[in-house]
Structures are given as structure tokens and as C-alpha cells.
Amino acid sequence: MNMNRRAMLVRTAALAGASALGFPMVARAANASYTYGGSAWLGHYSAYIAMKTGLFAKQGLDIKWQSFATSSDRMSAVMAGNIDLAGTGVVSSLALMAAGARQFQVIATPNNFGRAEGVLVREDVKSVADLKGKKIGVTYASSAHVLLLDVLRQAGLNPDKDVSIINLPATNLLSAYQGKQIDAAVAWTPAFDRIKAVPGTHVLLDDTAFSLYKQYAITPGPDVLLTHAKLGRDNPEAVKKFLQAVFQANTLLTEQPEEAAGVLLELTGLSKEEQLAVIKQTQWYSAADQKALMVDPGNFVGGMQKLAEMLVSLKQIDKAPTVKDWVQASYL
């Protein structure tokens, strides 16, 4: 699994100008062929299953899958118009919005993975207050980092003075924790599940402790689906059909998780047991859920706005964009 998937984009401001270079859209086949940018992260499961099980084909779509190692690479392709549809962590899209990029539209949120990311600690830590003086490993500028800063702030701890936050790639968190180089780790699945399995370890909190989750059910870095703005303008019916297939895939993930897991193994490289655990600890939104979340004044849209404002206060982005200006719910 791509462990860099949830890292925020450092290059987002630069990406905002990519379309000005005039990169062409991918050439179209006669049978409405489009390219989706994905990775092995769970935010892309729905699109991958729709492609592999023929759900897109039933909608008359030929969706080509293009994998990207990092979110920044994927968003570069979106900005350049080299892919038509994509999924990403919302923070990367918020950063691009803040930079004024108008090349994409947010069209849906595929899932809620609030139980698959959190703070993992040893037995002596019973509360966030007990983290004082501890060394905490986390990937800087990631959603896990935002979660950590938020819960420290809620507990009245100063992240610059009361704890030692150590920047580690997600792939290194488990070994650092096992080697006792860090006292606690903040991670997302599958590292989250692997660290949780270390003897003497427990989950201190997960994304449901995030301050915005309590009001908006929004995690520090929820997944969103995007379309290039040009596709939305030129062929809104194609975007609608794309989403219909995605939500059909979500029904499969919810109602037939073992079958869905079998489809995903080639993409993720997880064991069947790990794959099934990831699917079951994630909520897969239906089309009906989606309308409540995204259609004005959708609760998720309100949550994204508050998240943008929080990111400014945490010095992760320079200014908060008006998020609803990028949301297009007419495809639902």
C-alpha cells in the first residue's frame, strides 16, 4: 500500500499554476474512455472495484486506471488535465483551493475511515495528558499530524513544549515503535493495525476524537473524489455514471466484504485477513448518504470549510478557501 498517500501536498501552490502551461487532456477513445488516478489507499477501493467488476462498463464507461506513488503526483496530473477523475485526501485539494486552482471539482466523498487512524500508545499512557514528556512519531503534514495537534490542543498541551514530535515516514513508524525510539505513534491503516498488534499497545484515541468529527463527522483528512472541471463541463452525464458505479461498488464493500476483499488483493498486496479488516472498519457511503453529506448545505461540506479554517490556525495552509465554490453536487 502506498504509505505516502495521506501526506499533504507540499507542492500544491506550485501545482495551481500547472494548467497555465496548457497541457492537453488525455486523448479520448470513441467509446468514452476516461482515466482515473488512484493508488492502493482505501479511498480508491470503490473505483477499483467498479473497474474490476464491470460496474463502470455497465454504465457505458471505459475507465483506465493509472497508479500514482504520491498524492502530489496524482494532483499534478489532475491539474495538468492528464487524468479525468481521481481520488485524494481532502487536505491536498484544500491546499489547491487556497492557492486558487479551479481546474477540478469535488464531486463526492466515498467513505468514512474514522476508526482506522489514531494514536497508539503503551500501557502506561491512559489519557492525552499522559503524553506529556513523551516522544511521538508521526508523518509531518499528514492527516495524522493534524489529528495529533488537535487532540493535544484539546488537552491543553503545547505541541512545541510539552511533547517531542518526531517526523517519520509512515513506513518507519512500526519499526521505530518496536525499537522504542518513540513512545507513541500516530498512524493510519495498515500501519495503524500493525502497531496496534504489538503486545502491550492500545489505541488511545482515533479520528472520532478529532474536534470536528463530533459536529461534522469529518476526519482530519477525509477522502474525496474529483473530476477535472473540463470533463464536468463537457460531459456531466459521464461523471454521473461514474458516481453511480462507485456507489454500487460501495454496496458491495458493505454487503459482501469478503468478495470485495478478493478483488482488492492484487491492488493492495495485503493479506486476506488484513484486507478484510480494512474494509470492515471503514464506512462505505451509499448514494443516499452522499446527498445528505454533499448537497447544500451538506454536513460534509460544512465540515470541510471548518477543516480549512483549522488548517490555517495550525499553519498548514495560508488561507481558508470558500470550499462550496469547488463542490459540484449536481452529479449525485
Side-chain angles (χ1 to χ4, degrees):
M1 177 172 283
N2 167 29
M3 302 302 291
N4 295 322
R5 166 258 170 231
R6 310 203 62 238
M8 296 180 192
L9 298 180
V10 175
R11 295 189 285 134
T12 47
L15 295 180
S19 69
L21 300 176
F23 289 102
M25 294 288 285
V26 172
R28 298 283 186 267
N31 59 346
S33 178
Y34 302 102
T35 303
Y36 176 90
S39 77
W41 168 249
L42 65 86
H44 306 284
Y45 285 4
S46 312
Y48 187 81
I49 286 176
M51 180 183 67
K52 287 293 186 180
T53 62
L55 293 173
F56 284 139
K58 288 180 181 176
Q59 294 288 341
L61 300 176
D62 176 20
I63 301 294
K64 307 293 187 187
W65 181 271
Q66 186 170 346
S67 291
F68 291 87
T70 66
S71 295
S72 58
D73 290 342
R74 186 181 318 109
M75 292 309 293
S76 292
V78 172
M79 297 300 292
N82 291 331
I83 56 176
D84 306 294
L85 299 146
T88 191
V90 75
V91 174
S92 60
S93 61
L94 290 175
L96 286 167
M97 293 176 196
R102 302 307 302 237
Q103 294 92 333
F104 65 93
Q105 298 170 342
V106 176
I107 59 175
T109 178
N111 60 61
N112 183 331
F113 57 89
R115 299 289 186 184
E117 178 175 72
V119 181
L120 299 140
V121 295
R122 296 190 173 86
E123 293 173 343
D124 62 315
V125 177
K126 307 296 185 186
S127 68
V128 177
D130 291 339
L131 289 172
K132 189 171 185 177
K134 302 289 188 184
K135 292 182 288 187
I136 307 169
V138 68
T139 305
Y140 270 18
S142 70
S143 58
H145 191 197
V146 173
L147 173 65
L148 176 61
L149 296 176
D150 178 64
V151 296
L152 289 174
R153 186 163 63 180
Q154 288 185 58
L157 296 181
N158 185 329
D160 296 323
K161 297 179 180 178
D162 294 328
V163 297
S164 297
I165 300 178
I166 299 173
N167 183 22
L168 290 170
T171 48
N172 293 354
L173 284 169
L174 175 60
S175 59
Y177 183 81
Q178 288 176 314
K180 299 188 177 180
Q181 297 167 346
I182 53 177
D183 303 306
V186 193
W188 56 87
T189 191
F192 175 80
D193 299 282
R194 291 168 179 166
I195 297 170
K196 185 169 64 175
V198 175
T201 299
H202 68 100
V203 179
L204 180 63
L205 57 90
D206 58 29
D207 279 351
T208 59
F210 185 55
S211 57
L212 294 180
Y213 194 92
K214 298 168 185 173
Q215 183 174 0
Y216 299 98
I218 192 169
T219 60
D223 293 315
V224 291
L225 296 172
L226 312 173
T227 182
H228 195 282
K230 186 176 188 306
L231 175 58
R233 289 193 302 269
D234 293 351
N235 196 345
E237 286 302 313
V239 182
K240 290 180 182 179
K241 291 176 179 177
F242 169 82
L243 288 178
Q244 289 171 13
V246 162
F247 298 132
Q248 289 168 357
N250 278 2
T251 299
L252 179 68
L253 283 156
T254 301
E255 298 180 357
Q256 298 173 266
E258 295 210 7
E259 181 178 339
V263 176
L264 292 166
L265 295 181
E266 182 178 359
L267 173 70
T268 64
L270 298 178
S271 68
K272 184 70 174 289
E273 183 182 30
E274 288 175 325
Q275 187 64 78
L276 198 54
V278 173
I279 291 172
K280 288 186 174 180
Q281 66 190 0
T282 304
Q283 178 186 1
W284 304 98
Y285 288 134
S286 67
D289 293 332
Q290 203 66 204
K291 290 183 179 179
L293 291 163
M294 302 296 291
V295 177
D296 190 28
N299 199 47
F300 185 80
V301 178
M304 282 196 290
Q305 184 63 48
K306 294 297 182 183
L307 179 59
E309 293 164 6
M310 175 184 286
L311 293 175
V312 174
S313 71
L314 295 175
K315 300 179 181 178
Q316 299 293 318
I317 60 177
D318 293 333
K319 62 179 180 180
T322 303
V323 173
K324 64 181 179 60
D325 291 348
W326 276 264
V327 175
Q328 182 51 266
S330 63
Y331 309 119
L332 298 173

